[in-house]
Amino acid sequence: MQNFEYYNRTKIIFGKGTEQDAGKETAKYAKRILLHHSGGSPVKTGLLDRIKDSLKKAGVEWVELAGVLPNPRLSKVREGVELVKKEKLQFILAVGGGSVIDSSKGIAMGALYDGDVWDFYARKKTAREALPVATVLTIPAAGSESSISSVITNEEGPWKQSVNEECIRPVFSILNPELTYTLPPYQTACGVADMLAHIMERYFTKEPHVELTDELCEGAMRAIIRNARRIFSGGGEDYNARAEIMWAGSIAHNNLLSTGRIGDWASHAIEHELSAVFDIAHGAGLSIIFPAWIRYNIKEDTPRLARYAAKVWGVDGAYYDYEQAALEGVFRLKNFFRSLGLPVSFADAKLDPSRIPEMSRGALKFGSLGNYRTLTEKDVEAIYHIAAGS
Ligand code: NZQ
Ligand code: ZN
């Protein structure tokens, strides 16, 4: 097991009606804040009005910035930075999913920096300070509610890039599973694919002695699969299934499951190119890329892939050799994604394979990818081709 430090400052406030606490919790940090959201679902569902009531009751004033798009754009982050500086705001409350939260984190870094906030994403500068960010989460997926990451698309590129810094980890996050009842099934499915991918990125490691986190990962993946099936088999308003999925989304990405091990993370970088070029939902990009990545690695570490197939997908080792078991695991993963209505190939999502060379170059813009297996541009290209069926 590798040495590690584990620290996660995000206070999680979980359960029914917890959005009522937004004002009270925010007031502990600031009395004038930026309220950041999409302008879409939280307005329609009435959530935003409830948050405003809660802020009013706690004596917190806000300046509002709406218009965050899925795959959040740099231009909105820059607009937010200007607004926060002009209004001298000291805190950002994000109401929404990963996109709104990541946009808020970008604004939080930019607010305390004199240059262009893209410098942090382009890795020209390291962010050491940021305004405090908190969240009211409306979709379990990205895990941004307690992660150190912000992923932003520079529309001039197109270039989707992440920053990973402790200073942007939210100070608190409110998670009410009831808020996820209004999610379209496709968005629920994308979220499930993303949280499964966050665990798989960590699970596929070369570190041999990580039994505890191996088992935690396997158990978490099984719980996600089981509860996703419950939601999709008619229980869209099954509170407990929604609650399991919501908490799993945070656990999948709050780094507890990374302790003592080094994850892979190539699939995420390969997917970010798909989102940047085709503006596809991140989870749907992952349901296309991850099975292809596993397929490409079958000969790299067959026993581990066979274990994944057995422990997560119930592939019985008595009937398969290692390689067949690993292949059966990929087959069941793809079937699961399909059963949720997710794409598992370029064709399913109508993506143009002629962009593969450009995306392969883009994925490697900061050098090689992956820790479980180091990938060159040629490897990445081959993975895209598996996903394209070409
Ligand atoms: O825009 P609105 O109208 O609000 O609708 C959203 C959006 O269209 C909708 N939605 C959210 N909550 C809803 C709802 N619709 C009805 N009822 C609700 N309760 O869902 C759509 C997707 O929202 P989005 O915030 O984009 O989803 P997600 O949370 O999956 O975030 C995706 C972004 O996070 C990044 C991804 O790359 C992508 O840009 N990631 C961020 C990470 C992080 N910061 O740690 C890690 C991840 O690996 C990921 O890369
Ligand atoms: Zn992800």
Side-chain angles (χ1 to χ4, degrees):
M1 196 189 288
Q2 303 271 327
N3 288 4
F4 67 87
E5 287 183 13
Y6 181 68
Y7 170 71
N8 188 320
R9 72 175 176 186
T10 310
K11 174 178 177 181
I12 301 287
I13 302 164
F14 192 98
K16 294 180 182 176
T18 44
E19 66 272 21
Q20 290 163 8
D21 293 346
K24 185 181 80 187
E25 289 296 325
T26 302
K28 294 177 184 168
Y29 293 89
K31 292 288 183 184
R32 279 193 84 236
I33 67 161
L34 180 74
L35 181 59
H36 199 30
H37 59 91
S38 66
S41 63
V43 178
K44 266 187 236 141
T45 59
L47 171 65
L48 200 71
D49 285 339
R50 297 207 296 286
I51 299 291
K52 287 178 181 173
D53 283 347
S54 164
L55 291 171
K56 245 184 248 163
K57 273 191 201 133
V60 176
E61 291 175 9
W62 64 89
V63 174
E64 207 166 326
L65 179 63
V68 180
L69 298 173
N71 295 323
R73 310 298 202 267
L74 177 61
S75 51
K76 183 56 68 180
V77 175
R78 285 180 176 147
E79 190 186 333
V81 171
E82 256 182 54
L83 185 62
V84 163
K85 284 183 175 171
K86 187 175 119 226
E87 297 282 343
K88 300 191 169 45
L89 306 172
Q90 294 303 317
F91 185 92
I92 305 174
L93 182 61
V95 179
S99 295
V100 174
I101 300 171
D102 286 3
S103 183
S104 301
K105 289 172 173 178
I107 296 169
M109 286 184 286
L112 300 183
Y113 177 57
D114 283 338
D116 178 12
V117 65
W118 184 252
D119 291 349
F120 299 122
Y121 296 88
R123 303 194 184 170
K124 290 186 195 156
K125 287 274 173 192
T126 304
R128 292 282 174 239
E129 51 173 3
L131 293 181
V133 172
T135 87
V136 178
L137 183 68
T138 62
I139 171 171
S144 187
E145 66 274 13
S146 61
S147 83
I148 59 167
S149 311
S150 164
V151 191
I152 295 295
T153 297
N154 182 340
E155 51 272 66
E156 289 149 25
W159 185 0
K160 190 173 182 182
Q161 199 54 52
S162 64
V163 166
N164 301 288
E165 293 298 339
E166 196 59 52
C167 64
I168 54 175
R169 199 193 290 274
V171 290
F172 69 83
S173 283
I174 292 180
L175 278 61
N176 174 0
E178 292 174 315
L179 300 180
T180 68
Y181 292 167
T182 53
L183 277 170
Y186 185 68
Q187 292 300 341
T188 299
C190 287
V192 165
D194 194 15
M195 63 184 78
L196 262 187
H198 291 162
I199 301 176
M200 292 193 288
E201 296 279 22
R202 291 171 166 92
Y203 183 73
F204 291 113
T205 181
K206 289 286 187 194
E207 185 59 43
H209 296 291
V210 278
E211 279 178 38
L212 172 69
T213 43
D214 269 353
E215 302 255 5
L216 289 173
C217 286
E218 289 157 359
M221 286 191 271
R222 288 194 302 270
I224 290 168
I225 294 160
R226 220 171 24 244
N227 285 284
R229 286 183 175 140
R230 266 171 68 182
I231 292 170
F232 277 82
S233 64
E237 297 200 2
D238 176 335
Y239 178 80
N240 286 311
R242 289 287 190 183
E244 298 283 359
I245 289 292
M246 196 164 209
W247 187 216
S250 286
I251 296 289
H253 204 41
N254 73 0
N255 270 352
L256 174 67
L257 302 181
S258 308
T259 46
R261 54 204 293 143
I262 297 173
D264 185 71
W265 294 103
S267 299
H268 262 70
I270 297 172
E271 190 296 311
H272 283 161
E273 291 299 309
L274 285 193
S275 306
V277 171
F278 301 112
D279 200 16
I280 185 176
H282 172 60
L286 287 166
S287 65
I288 295 170
I289 295 301
F290 229 116
W293 178 88
I294 297 178
R295 184 77 191 72
Y296 191 65
N297 282 301
I298 288 252
K299 295 218 183 320
E300 174 73 9
D301 185 358
T302 322
R304 179 145 201 95
L305 287 160
R307 174 184 166 144
Y308 161 77
K311 295 276 203 151
V312 179
W313 297 105
V315 175
D316 188 340
Y319 298 102
Y320 300 91
D321 68 21
Y322 274 168
E323 190 170 335
Q324 284 173 327
L327 283 168
E328 179 64 20
V330 182
F331 180 75
R332 292 188 192 186
L333 171 67
K334 283 172 90 167
N335 271 352
F336 172 69
F337 284 150
R338 275 198 203 99
S339 74
L340 304 187
L342 289 167
V344 293
S345 68
F346 271 47
D348 287 350
K350 301 188 172 52
L351 309 182
D352 175 6
S354 74
R355 308 288 295 268
I356 288 177
E358 165 196 347
M359 292 191 293
S360 307
R361 279 194 301 280
L364 282 139
K365 63 178 95 56
F366 294 124
S368 65
L369 289 184
N371 298 302
Y372 177 74
R373 176 173 179 181
T374 309
L375 303 178
T376 63
E377 195 177 317
K378 261 183 113 175
D379 296 315
V380 172
E381 201 160 320
I383 290 168
Y384 281 129
H385 278 294
I386 294 174
S390 50

